[in-house]
């Protein structure tokens, strides 16, 4: 991938919209033109929460942009995201970005497989939109979540692709069971040149094992606890075949074959 | 303009016979060597940049999770991951020479043994850009060396004396708060030849997952930083200032200009920004602006006039 040397910004970003999207997840839209103009699919931002007792910002992948705003999807899980749910439009948050290396582009006309798990599917959306504008590129999405309600939060993802398959834990939409089953079926039924995978780490490991075995170039977006988000603190290191790398600046997107999945287990977030 | 402009404060201070543009530096390990933050703030407004810990050979750092946010604080267990002094000279000092040639560089020196510390210094003696060394004898996140040296007066004096013999450059010793009497260690390292002390390093802490019962960190213990530790840091800086004739670099939970003034008043000559850089990549510039405004409010024209004025 070429050097991503675009300027990073740290700006005051007023909340434009903030809505629940079901299953404990939210869509947060921030006005941040300087970042929105530059963000690439798969990149992330560090969001300050204006809480003196929370010393770190929170990293979020970008779900969507209209060139002026950034939308992120998040699940209210920890102290920060739980408090974030109460923030109303107009509240100003400090936001740094765009950060990290996003999804590498595929060749024009590529047969593309997107695999998303839970809220982790969010970073695939900008990519799907980008790919839908490339003539001849065929995009298949396999999206999994616990329930149909959890899938619905990311339903715009399906609008940007050619074919979609769903899997839910409880069978409320699509295949009931693990996402690896429809992935295996898709690999059986068709041919793909590149796969982009984002979701919980065990899911990414299992899915990429299948796609790599099928000879498909596979990209995964990794998550680690992050402090600075700019490459200084070495909190978010990930073991790879070529040594320890920083998820924040060397990733978050990595070649699935580069990741040392077993060594990575002890520092998993989810 | 909502505020009437005031005569800008003279923020310069003198350290080791050199005039520095401001009393601010950064806490080792929170700022790499400056490059990552240069996109967000003017790093040349620092009086000096303090680098991440550098060891003789590459260190891999710790396995497992490396950070855990606490109430007003941050536990870390990085474990001094660094590529070793040779790569540091080439990459970090190289970048600084190209992009901030006038910025004084304090190199944080780490080791498992006395020979390690001396070896790093001997290699760095060939680098003209180095302004001073900061001996890290207080890292709680490594087994051999680290805090073992910093919590025992005899061991601390031993490593300082060996480093002293290896260089004529200013030697700063970074002290651990994980001791009963910080002034005893401070006196020991001053007597052994230290030119300054910096404090505090992180406070030893831990965290446990309440659901699984597992320790958060592979090493069980980790180092606590951030606003939660500021009162402890300020007290220790003040205590050391009572017994030392050498300058002090104060740090621990600084988040704004008010904190800088408190540390200066407690007796610090310089003040380091640490964890605040993570939550605010523009902290250096913001805090200098706050410091300038605060000095005007207090009515001092020279920031150095604040040093040791707590009464």
């Amino acid at each position: 991938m070429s050097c991503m040397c675009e300027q990073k910004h740290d700006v005051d970003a007023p909340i434009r919209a903030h809505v629940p999207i079901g299953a404990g997840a939210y869509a947060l839209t921030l006005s941040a033109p300087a970042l929105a103009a530059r963000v690439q699919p798969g990149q992330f931002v560090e969001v300050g929460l204006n809480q003196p007792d929370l010393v770190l910002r929170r990293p979020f992948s970008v779900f969507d942009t209209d060139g002026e705003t950034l939308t992120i999807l998040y699940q209210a899980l920890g102290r920060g995201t739980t408090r974030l749910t109460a923030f109303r439009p107009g509240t100003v948050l400090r936001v740094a970005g765009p950060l990290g290396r996003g999804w590498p582009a595929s060749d024009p006309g590529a047969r593309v497989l997107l695999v998303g798990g839970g809220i982790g599917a969010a970073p695939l959306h900008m990519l799907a939109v980008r790919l839908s504008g490339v003539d001849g590129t065929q995009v298949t999405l396999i999206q999994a979540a616990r329930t149909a309600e959890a899938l619905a939060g990311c339903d715009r993802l399906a609008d940007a692709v050619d074919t979609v398959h769903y899997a839910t834990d409880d069978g409320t939409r699509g295949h009931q069971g693990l996402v690896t089953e429809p992935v295996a079926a898709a690999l059986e039924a068709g041919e793909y040149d590149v796969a982009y995978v984002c979701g919980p780490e065990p899911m990414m490991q299992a899915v990429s094992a299948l796609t790599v075995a099928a000879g498909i170039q596979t990209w995964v977006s990794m998550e680690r606890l992050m402090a600075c988000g700019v490459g200084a603190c070495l909190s978010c290191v990930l073991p790879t075949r070529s040594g320890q790398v920083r998820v924040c600046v060397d990733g978050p997107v990595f070649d699935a074959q580069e990741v040392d999945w077993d060594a990575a287990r002890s520092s998993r977030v989810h | 303009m909502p505020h009437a402009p005031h005569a800008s404060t003279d923020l310069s201070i003198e350290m080791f016979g050199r005039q520095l543009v401001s009393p601010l530096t950064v806490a080792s390990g929170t700022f790499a060597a400056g490059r990552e933050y240069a996109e967000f703030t003017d790093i040349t407004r620092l009086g000096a940049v303090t680098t991440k810990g550098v060891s003789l050979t590459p260190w891999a750092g710790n396995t497992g999770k490396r950070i855990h946010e606490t109430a007003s604080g941050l536990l870390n267990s990085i474990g001094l991951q660094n590529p070793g002094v040779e790569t540091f000279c080439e990459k970090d000092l190289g970048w600084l020479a190209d992009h901030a040639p006038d910025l004084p560089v304090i190199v944080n020196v780490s080791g498992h043994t006395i020979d390690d510390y001396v070896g790093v210094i001997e290699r760095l003696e060939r680098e003209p850009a180095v302004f001073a060394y900061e001996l890290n004898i207080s890292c709680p996140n490594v087994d051999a060396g680290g805090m073992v040296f910093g919590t025992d007066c005899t061991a601390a004096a031993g490593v300082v004396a060996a480093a002293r013999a290896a260089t004529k450059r200013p030697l700063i010793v970074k002290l651990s708060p994980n001791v009963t009497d910080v002034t005893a260690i401070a006196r020991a390292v001053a007597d052994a030849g230290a030119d300054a002390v910096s404090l505090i390093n992180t406070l030893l802490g831990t965290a446990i997952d309440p659901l699984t019962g597992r320790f958060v960190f592979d090493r069980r213990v980790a180092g606590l930083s951030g606003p939660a530790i500021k009162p402890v840091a300020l007290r220790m800086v003040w205590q050391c200032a009572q017994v030392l004739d050498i300058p002090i670099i104060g740090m621990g939970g600084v988040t704004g200009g008010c904190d800088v003034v408190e540390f200066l008043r407690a007796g610090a000559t310089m003040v380091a920004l640490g964890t605040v850089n993570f939550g605010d990549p523009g902290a250096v510039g913001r805090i200098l602006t706050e410091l300038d405004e605060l000095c005007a409010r207090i009515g001092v024209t020279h920031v150095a006039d604040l040093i040791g004025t707590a009464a």
Side-chain angles (χ1 to χ4, degrees):
Chain A
M1 176 170 205
S2 63
C3 172
M4 300 284 291
C5 298
E6 289 91 358
Q7 179 69 41
K8 297 164 187 161
H9 296 271
D10 186 32
V11 299
D12 285 329
I15 297 176
R16 281 282 187 82
H18 195 186
V19 292
I21 55 173
Y26 293 78
L28 175 71
T29 300
L30 298 158
S31 179
L35 279 63
R38 286 173 177 77
V39 66
Q40 297 296 310
Q43 287 191 295
F44 70 98
V45 293
E46 279 263 45
V47 180
L49 299 179
N50 297 339
Q51 307 283 301
D53 64 321
L54 301 181
V55 299
L56 300 180
R57 294 192 186 188
R58 299 299 191 265
F60 296 105
S61 285
V62 176
F63 171 71
D64 199 7
T65 177
D66 60 8
E68 194 193 328
T69 65
L70 299 172
T71 298
I72 60 177
L73 304 187
Y74 69 92
Q75 196 89 38
L77 281 176
R79 286 185 307 169
T81 47
T82 301
R83 283 192 224 172
L84 179 56
T85 62
F87 288 16
R88 301 293 183 89
T91 305
V92 177
L93 302 179
R94 197 78 182 157
V95 181
L99 303 173
R101 294 167 178 255
W103 304 108
S106 54
D107 294 332
R111 295 158 299 180
V112 178
L113 182 64
L114 306 182
V115 186
I119 204 75
L124 294 170
H125 179 258
M126 273 187 72
L127 175 67
V129 170
R130 176 77 54 93
L131 292 172
S132 70
V134 181
D135 281 347
T137 298
Q138 283 293 312
V139 183
T140 298
L141 166 69
I142 300 176
Q143 196 182 345
R146 281 165 305 167
T147 63
E149 189 195 11
L151 276 176
C154 262
D155 57 4
R156 278 162 63 197
L157 190 47
D159 300 342
V161 303
D162 300 293
T163 311
V164 60
H165 304 284
Y166 294 110
T168 49
D169 293 351
D170 64 356
T172 47
R173 187 165 193 187
H175 172 81
Q176 178 172 8
L178 296 175
V179 71
T180 44
E181 290 150 12
V183 168
L187 296 178
E188 193 77 23
E191 304 234 322
Y192 296 92
D193 301 303
V194 57
Y196 300 92
V197 185
C198 190
E201 199 160 312
M203 168 265 189
M204 290 196 286
Q205 181 177 3
V207 168
S208 61
L210 296 175
T211 54
V212 167
I216 300 165
Q217 169 71 61
T218 303
W219 302 102
V220 291
S221 181
M222 303 299 289
E223 182 176 17
R224 283 293 175 278
L225 294 174
M226 215 173 258
C228 71
V230 298
C233 71
L234 308 183
S235 299
C236 66
V237 293
L238 178 76
T240 70
R241 308 281 169 216
S242 39
Q244 292 191 113
V245 297
R246 297 164 294 179
V247 167
C248 66
V249 289
D250 301 316
V253 173
F254 295 95
D255 184 329
Q257 287 187 275
E258 269 291 297
V259 177
D260 185 342
W261 295 98
D262 290 333
R265 194 179 297 260
S266 71
S267 56
R268 259 181 201 170
V269 180
H270 299 298
Chain B
M1 289 286 286
H3 301 288
H6 61 79
S8 197
T9 316
D10 179 356
L11 292 178
S12 70
I13 53 109
E14 193 196 305
M15 191 75 173
F16 309 134
R18 182 163 167 180
Q19 207 67 21
L20 306 183
V21 297
S22 83
L24 291 194
T25 185
V26 288
S28 177
T30 65
F31 210 71
R35 179 181 195 160
E36 288 75 7
Y37 286 95
E39 285 186 84
F40 295 100
T41 196
D42 181 0
I43 64 170
T44 66
R45 295 183 67 195
L46 288 167
V49 66
T50 303
T51 72
K52 168 133 184 94
V54 179
S55 53
L56 195 54
T57 55
W59 285 6
N62 293 332
T63 60
K65 290 199 171 76
R66 287 184 166 188
I67 52 165
H68 179 76
E69 195 183 40
T70 64
S72 300
L74 179 69
L75 283 165
N76 89 79
S77 178
I78 309 294
L80 293 173
Q81 179 186 335
N82 81 95
V85 67
E86 204 56 54
T87 303
F88 168 81
C89 290
E90 183 191 321
K91 294 215 169 137
D92 293 313
L93 291 182
W95 185 86
L96 285 165
D98 289 343
H99 295 87
D102 299 324
L103 175 61
V105 182
I106 299 170
V107 181
N108 183 280
V109 176
S110 300
H112 291 312
T113 66
I114 287 179
D115 286 348
D116 282 355
Y117 288 98
V118 171
V120 173
I121 290 172
E122 283 175 346
R123 173 63 188 84
L124 289 166
E125 286 291 285
R126 311 206 305 262
E127 300 294 333
V130 177
F131 171 53
Y133 301 108
E134 180 180 58
L135 284 187
N136 182 357
I137 59 166
S138 47
C139 180
N141 292 325
V142 294
D143 287 323
M147 205 173 76
V148 174
F149 287 112
T151 52
D152 178 273
C153 288
T154 310
V159 67
V160 173
R164 178 72 291 160
T167 184
K168 290 190 164 57
R169 285 175 171 161
L171 194 59
I172 305 158
V173 181
K174 187 159 181 180
L175 302 182
S176 171
N178 303 305
V179 293
T180 308
D181 179 7
V182 71
T183 63
I185 303 273
R187 268 193 281 236
V189 301
D191 290 347
D195 298 301
V197 293
S198 54
L199 66 155
I200 59 175
N201 207 320
T202 53
L203 278 159
L204 200 59
T206 190
I208 299 165
D209 184 318
L211 296 178
T212 65
R214 286 194 183 151
F215 284 94
V216 167
F217 297 104
D218 280 5
R219 291 190 81 253
R220 310 296 195 268
V221 295
L224 182 66
S225 65
I229 72 168
K230 196 197 90 176
V232 177
L234 194 62
R235 182 262 297 175
M236 288 190 166
V237 165
W238 168 70
Q239 285 181 316
C240 286
Q242 306 311 301
V243 301
L244 295 182
D245 298 323
I246 55 176
I248 296 171
I249 303 175
M251 71 192 82
V254 173
T255 61
C258 289
D259 300 319
V260 175
V261 170
E262 280 192 76
F263 274 99
L264 294 171
R265 287 193 183 279
T269 300
M270 295 186 78
V271 179
L273 312 182
T275 304
V276 68
N277 293 304
F278 300 154
D280 179 7
V284 172
R286 172 180 62 81
I287 291 175
L288 279 170
T289 301
E290 291 173 6
L291 179 62
D292 184 46
E293 289 169 358
L294 196 54
C295 285
R297 227 173 105 193
I298 295 165
V300 292
T301 53
H302 195 296
V303 76
D305 293 341
L306 291 169
I307 298 169
T309 54

